[in-house]
Amino acid sequence: MYFTHLYLENFRRFVYWEHTFSPGVHLIVGPNARGKTTLLEAGAYLSTFSSFLARQPRELVNQALAMQNPFLVTRIRATFMREEDGRHRERRIEVRLIFRRETNGLVRTQKEVLVDGVKRKTLTEALGLVQTVLFLPHMLHIVDGAPELRRRYLNFSIAPGHPEYARALSEYTKALQQRNALLKQWWERRGDPQVMLPWEKKLAEHGATIMWTRHQVLQRWNFLADEQGWNRLGDGEVLRLVYRPALGHEADEEVPMLLPFYQPEPDFPKSLPALQDLLFQRLQERRPLDLRRGHTTLGPHRDDFRFLVSGLDLAVYGSRGQMRSALLMLKLVEAAWYYETSGVRPVILLDEVLAELDRERRERVMAAFQGFGEQLWATTTEPDLFPEAVVPRLHVWALQDTGLVSV
Amino acid sequence: MPVLPEPIQRLMQALERLPGVGPKTSARLAFFLLRHLPLARDLAQALEDLERVTLCRRCFHLTEEGQAFCAICRDPRRDPATVCVVEDPLDVLALEQAGVYQGRYHVLHGVISPVEGVGPEDLRIRELLERIPAEGIQEVILATNPSLEGDATAMYLYERLKPLGVRVTRLAQGLPSGGDLEYADPLTLVRALMGRQEMA
């Protein structure tokens, strides 16, 4: 798919901004703090309805105007061509953030989504319509940061195309809150241990769906990376993603070294029902420990996955360049996987992607991404990093406050 | 110095405490009542009569003061061997409007939700378990909502009822009648498929 038009109103630093796009590679040039990243953020927002860079939707509203006005509407609107039934069809999407400051000072931001001009009842209905793959330098923390970032990343990637995963996540979270509340109250209230069982059953049911999907997806990602040669980082180094399901291993247990490719993690159940049974059984076994700790100590909310290069954990032993390469591999795989599961080639959004990479890696990265998407937006402060030889037929734009100007 | 007389202010403050009513609506309602005093008197009477509503001693559905049992429990035509367990009295109303169910009810007055501090002992569960042998109940229909908490409550009840040797059933889940297959969400479709029945 590719965007043909993007319109922003009161989105972050932009008051009115619009531009008409063609397919192909668009390089957006500008000095720092002009809104280059914001532009990519807007594109990605249309596919996930949440931002990797904002904790709260209100951060996306133009702050100068929000301070002056008690009521403000932020709009991100796009027209795009999407592969449907073997040809491109023109579709439209608009996300509105309705910002209100109440008389008591409380701020509320409400989200609305319109598809082809018709308002949808829930955001979920419009998930997966726009597909993008976003790379931000900030995302390097996915490789070396806390497991929570990697779980969030998995959820961001999987949920839009898998409604049953999104539903399992939401039900799991609710059941988890209920069991944790019970664990905390236990010492004061005591009562019947059978009260735990229904929540453990629910946790096992939805948790197994989440873990099974994550397991399948990571295996598929490893396969795609190997098939395309994206997992070979140079100098004979091979990258592999390893799923670490929280099924009751000790937290400090060593990551298995040098696992052969595609081999499922040892002792991971062979079917969804088996996984559900195992999770249910482990939850019951863990009950005494969970009671002492006051929270649930296993399940997909404690999952992790690691980047292993030739068997070594990249977060511990990797260089910055390797981490960047690993993250780029992940992004390429994500793009290929979206195409495989939905038949739609995502729009590739790359923020300062070539910084910190040597010339050979720059060329490989750009070639791989160009070969993949129908449209690619890249931002840079250094247009020299994108020579004609590396990126042919490149559209170069200077970013302005109301749109883009050809350079 | 208050701008409005005290009775109006008191009414507005009381109305504002109702769910879904803010300062604007409460003012509008209060002034409407001021202009329609006969309606206000009816309303006052109805509100006062609320105090006469009590709970049925058997099923905990609503009944009037002076009546030990609710209208359904008093009805000799209702089957005493079947009990339908619901979350609150409004669910009884919904089922009664369908007009098919011939048994009695048991109102839990809530669902198990530890987050809100509601455990089994806060619901009428002990009373339900006592009813099974005392009334010779053969079948318990679990009709809690198909939500996470409703399901969990049903599961808990099932575990407690099973040892009593009573038949335990759960309301079917699936497509709403008059609904459109293409607009059904995936989970509903899955449940409808799993609960499919032989054509008769």
Side-chain angles (χ1 to χ4, degrees):
Chain A
M1 63 160 282
Y2 56 93
F3 288 113
T4 52
H5 189 255
L6 179 69
Y7 169 84
L8 305 175
E9 189 179 316
N10 303 328
F11 183 72
R12 292 223 190 239
R13 69 184 304 280
F14 298 112
V15 180
Y16 290 102
W17 190 97
E18 64 181 314
H19 186 69
T20 303
F21 287 94
S22 59
V25 183
H26 299 268
L27 184 64
I28 297 153
V29 184
N32 292 331
R34 278 291 162 82
K36 295 191 299 296
T37 307
T38 301
L39 214 55
L40 303 185
E41 186 184 26
Y45 200 80
L46 293 173
S47 58
T48 50
F49 309 129
S50 62
S51 169
F52 200 84
L53 288 171
R55 287 260 149 208
Q56 311 253 348
R58 81 175 68 140
E59 295 168 30
L60 303 172
V61 176
N62 184 295
Q63 291 304 309
L65 289 171
M67 273 193 260
Q68 294 159 18
N69 299 294
F71 182 84
L72 193 67
V73 181
T74 291
R75 287 189 172 83
I76 311 166
R77 187 191 300 154
T79 312
F80 55 100
M81 300 296 283
R82 185 177 194 271
E83 301 96 311
E84 283 172 16
D85 309 322
R87 62 192 187 89
H88 279 86
R89 206 180 289 261
E90 187 179 271
R91 307 290 306 263
R92 279 176 299 145
I93 192 164
E94 174 172 333
V95 181
R96 292 180 189 154
L97 297 169
I98 301 160
F99 169 91
R100 270 194 204 88
R101 195 172 40 238
E102 314 276 345
T103 38
N104 57 12
L106 283 181
V107 166
R108 287 198 309 165
T109 316
Q110 194 191 333
K111 268 187 232 177
E112 274 180 7
V113 61
L114 284 80
V115 174
D116 299 323
V118 182
K119 196 168 130 184
R120 294 296 154 116
K121 256 188 266 161
T122 61
L123 296 177
T124 335
E125 283 180 53
L127 271 182
L129 187 67
V130 171
Q131 303 243 338
T132 61
V133 167
L134 174 67
F135 171 91
L136 300 170
H138 182 77
M139 288 176 174
L140 277 180
H141 293 305
I142 291 172
V143 182
D144 68 353
E148 194 225 330
L149 289 172
R150 286 183 284 280
R151 286 193 294 270
R152 224 177 123 208
Y153 174 75
L154 278 181
N155 295 345
F156 256 93
S157 311
I158 301 173
H162 295 75
E164 75 290 349
Y165 182 85
R167 187 190 292 270
L169 266 183
S170 123
E171 293 288 292
Y172 181 85
T173 311
K174 281 191 264 175
L176 185 65
Q177 285 165 352
Q178 296 285 16
R179 185 173 186 263
N180 284 348
L182 212 50
L183 291 168
K184 285 199 187 79
Q185 295 159 14
W186 195 256
W187 305 107
E188 296 156 36
R189 289 183 58 150
R190 301 281 172 156
D192 183 355
Q194 277 198 38
V195 191
M196 295 271 184
L197 269 179
W199 305 114
E200 284 161 1
K201 245 182 216 163
K202 284 280 168 194
L203 284 174
E205 178 192 335
H206 299 298
T209 302
I210 297 168
M211 289 175 134
W212 186 254
T213 313
R214 284 176 179 174
H215 171 68
Q216 301 277 61
V217 166
L218 283 168
Q219 262 194 329
R220 189 67 200 158
W221 286 1
N222 273 326
F223 179 83
L224 288 171
D226 191 45
E227 193 183 54
Q228 300 289 332
W230 293 330
N231 60 352
R232 289 182 272 286
L233 302 185
D235 302 330
E237 293 174 333
V238 179
L239 179 75
R240 174 176 151 70
L241 307 170
V242 178
Y243 182 36
R244 307 282 298 145
L247 277 168
H249 308 277
E250 286 314 307
D252 54 1
E253 191 183 319
E254 280 296 302
V255 175
M257 308 272 270
L258 293 165
L259 284 174
F261 278 95
Y262 321 132
Q263 183 192 303
E265 284 61 44
D267 81 356
F268 195 82
K270 300 288 176 285
S271 73
L272 180 60
L275 177 59
Q276 191 175 330
D277 289 347
L278 179 68
L279 193 54
F280 184 51
Q281 179 204 328
R282 292 276 165 88
L283 277 165
Q284 286 169 283
E285 289 166 8
R286 271 291 171 105
R287 217 189 270 161
L289 177 73
D290 288 357
L291 278 170
R292 280 200 303 279
R293 300 245 174 110
H295 61 257
T296 305
T297 56
L298 62 83
H301 66 291
R302 313 263 293 188
D303 273 0
D304 195 3
F305 74 95
R306 300 289 180 82
F307 296 76
L308 260 59
V309 170
S310 306
L312 292 173
D313 191 339
L314 211 55
V316 184
Y317 302 103
S319 75
R320 212 168 153 78
Q322 278 179 319
M323 287 186 202
R324 202 170 250 272
S325 298
L327 187 62
L328 285 168
M329 177 208 99
L330 193 63
K331 292 290 155 181
L332 280 164
V333 163
E334 202 184 315
W337 182 70
Y338 280 157
Y339 178 56
E340 181 180 87
T341 48
S342 69
V344 174
R345 287 181 190 275
V347 173
I348 315 277
L349 306 167
L350 306 173
D351 192 26
E352 294 292 349
V353 69
L354 299 186
E356 291 184 26
L357 290 182
D358 56 39
R359 195 190 154 82
E360 190 211 319
R361 280 194 172 138
R362 283 210 293 272
E363 286 173 10
R364 278 184 48 194
V365 162
M366 284 315 288
F369 275 119
Q370 278 180 88
F372 196 80
E374 295 185 306
Q375 191 177 55
L376 187 153
W377 302 357
T379 67
T380 187
T381 50
E382 302 286 335
D384 299 344
L385 290 176
F386 294 78
E388 186 68 25
V390 177
V391 191
R393 293 182 309 282
L394 177 72
H395 306 272
V396 185
W397 307 98
L399 177 59
Q400 312 273 308
D401 286 342
T402 55
L404 298 175
V405 175
S406 185
V407 178
Chain B
M1 187 55 199
V3 186
L4 292 167
E6 198 256 335
I8 282 278
Q9 286 204 355
R10 248 177 54 209
L11 178 59
M12 278 165 57
Q13 278 162 13
L15 288 169
E16 222 183 300
R17 286 161 67 181
L18 296 176
V21 178
K24 289 260 162 62
T25 313
S26 78
R28 213 165 52 228
L29 290 174
F31 280 90
F32 181 86
L33 289 170
L34 190 65
R35 275 179 274 126
H36 299 80
L37 282 178
L39 172 67
R41 265 191 295 274
D42 283 353
L43 197 62
Q45 189 59 53
L47 291 173
E48 207 157 294
D49 291 349
L50 272 186
E51 294 199 2
R52 293 188 5 230
V53 176
T54 59
L55 295 183
C56 170
R57 271 188 229 161
R58 183 184 286 145
C59 75
F60 303 97
H61 183 43
L62 306 178
T63 186
E64 261 178 86
E65 205 171 38
Q67 297 283 1
F69 300 117
C70 70
I72 294 165
C73 287
R74 291 198 307 267
D75 187 340
R77 287 165 304 178
R78 306 294 292 221
D79 172 15
T82 313
V83 163
C84 180
V85 181
V86 295
E87 290 180 18
D88 59 53
L90 276 178
D91 298 329
V92 174
L93 195 70
L95 280 158
E96 282 305 291
Q97 274 164 359
V100 180
Y101 180 62
Q102 290 303 319
R104 286 176 177 165
Y105 290 93
H106 189 88
V107 184
L108 295 173
H109 291 277
V111 274
I112 300 176
S113 175
V115 167
E116 286 157 62
V118 182
E121 62 285 357
D122 301 310
L123 305 174
R124 303 289 183 172
I125 288 177
R126 189 175 46 85
E127 291 88 342
L128 172 68
L129 300 175
E130 284 166 5
R131 280 182 72 181
I132 308 298
E135 295 171 32
I137 289 164
Q138 308 285 312
E139 178 177 358
V140 178
I141 304 170
L142 298 176
T144 50
N145 288 326
S147 62
L148 185 78
E149 287 78 13
D151 273 352
T153 307
M155 269 186 226
Y156 176 80
L157 286 175
Y158 173 69
E159 296 292 332
R160 298 296 304 269
L161 288 163
K162 213 170 33 178
L164 302 179
V166 63
R167 181 175 177 221
V168 184
T169 55
R170 177 104 171 95
L171 282 194
Q173 295 177 10
L175 296 168
S177 57
D180 212 325
L181 210 62
E182 66 174 301
Y183 292 114
D185 67 296
L187 185 71
T188 306
L189 277 174
V190 168
R191 284 179 162 171
L193 258 175
M194 289 192 323
R196 69 187 187 278
Q197 285 171 3
E198 210 76 50
M199 287 281 284

